[in-house]
Amino acid sequence: MNEQLLAVRVGPYLFGAPVSSVTEILAKPSVTRIPRTPSVIAGVAVVRGQPLAVLTLRPALDLPPDDVTLALRWGGHRGAALVAVDQVESLWNPENPLPPELWQGLVPTHVAGWIPRAYRTGDEWLWEWAEDLPDRLQDMAVAHATGA
């Protein structure tokens, strides 16, 4: 059996965050925007004295920018970061991931790298995020900033 996922929404998309990676759910974190940063970086929030990058998937999903009202504190390999989400739905026990050839063409190429598995739940897709999602988003920001 696969690890339990925290089902969350970003816009109309349903994602699953590995429960072992999420250390906290924060409501309405105070986000300070940083001028001239890549769009994947919504800003910085100070959580219990620790400044954390606030990362957003909205630009990569072609969704308009929005205020950060919920964020998942994520323990990445490079340290903690916050990943902005629109809604937390439930804990979900994944079963029977679909073969990649059935779903990889349904997500933009740059997003497919964050998704190791996909599932059908009812009439919609649930896209599982990689455990190192914040690291991958930060790499995307660096690549954008350096023109790589």
Side-chain angles (χ1 to χ4, degrees), residues 80-91:
L82 299 178
V83 176
V85 299
D86 297 338
Q87 182 178 346
V88 173
E89 295 225 337
S90 64
L91 289 176

Side-chain angles (χ1 to χ4, degrees), residues 1-6 17-22 92-95 117 119 128 131:
M1 182 172 148
N2 294 329
E3 176 184 1
Q4 198 171 37
L5 300 175
L6 180 64
V19 169
S20 64
S21 298
V22 176
W92 194 70
N93 294 309
E95 292 181 14
R117 286 173 287 284
Y119 307 87
E128 183 178 338
E131 290 182 6

Side-chain angles (χ1 to χ4, degrees), residues 82-134:
L82 299 178
V83 176
V85 299
D86 297 338
Q87 182 178 346
V88 173
E89 295 225 337
S90 64
L91 289 176
W92 194 70
N93 294 309
E95 292 181 14
N96 305 319
L98 296 169
E101 57 271 11
L102 292 180
W103 59 266
Q104 282 185 331
L106 300 176
V107 295
T109 305
H110 58 281
V111 174
W114 313 333
I115 302 170
R117 286 173 287 284
Y119 307 87
R120 288 295 288 179
T121 173
D123 60 348
E124 66 182 327
W125 289 94
L126 182 136
W127 311 97
E128 183 178 338
W129 281 333
E131 290 182 6
D132 62 345
L133 177 69

Side-chain angles (χ1 to χ4, degrees), residues 1-36:
M1 182 172 148
N2 294 329
E3 176 184 1
Q4 198 171 37
L5 300 175
L6 180 64
V8 300
R9 289 211 181 265
V10 177
Y13 299 97
L14 183 62
F15 292 103
V19 169
S20 64
S21 298
V22 176
T23 58
E24 184 175 11
I25 301 169
L26 299 168
K28 298 184 181 178
S30 179
V31 178
T32 301
R33 300 205 186 278
I34 303 170
R36 297 187 300 268

